[in-house]
Amino acid sequence: MAVQQVKLSKSRRNSRRANWKLEAPNLVECPQCHELKMPHRVCPSCGAYKGKQVVAKEEE
């Protein structure tokens, strides 16, 4: 079993654990409807992907 040779201080331990954070998703503008969407995915508001209508959306 691994046994530590020198005790780690609390600050060194906490600074190592400080890198676990959430990142905001990268959003791009849809060229069809100009809404924000995730890249390389179908636009949830208009249903277009790479300039083509892929998913038929209902008009409200």
Side-chain angles (χ1 to χ4, degrees):
M1 261 179 105
V3 179
Q4 67 183 22
Q5 302 299 314
V6 179
K7 181 176 179 177
L8 279 174
S9 67
K10 294 173 188 167
S11 65
R12 187 173 289 266
R13 176 198 65 197
N14 293 341
S15 65
R16 183 182 66 243
R17 293 177 180 173
N19 291 320
W20 288 84
K21 57 184 175 286
L22 293 174
E23 294 180 2
N26 294 330
L27 298 175
V28 295
E29 184 178 317
C30 175
Q32 305 292 325
C33 65
H34 305 289
E35 293 284 330
L36 292 177
K37 69 176 190 78
M38 298 215 31
H40 308 289
R41 285 168 178 78
V42 176
C43 179
S45 60
C46 69
Y49 181 69
K50 287 192 176 180
K52 297 178 184 175
Q53 192 68 24
V54 180
V55 179
K57 299 299 278 189
E58 296 178 4
E59 294 296 326
E60 294 180 5

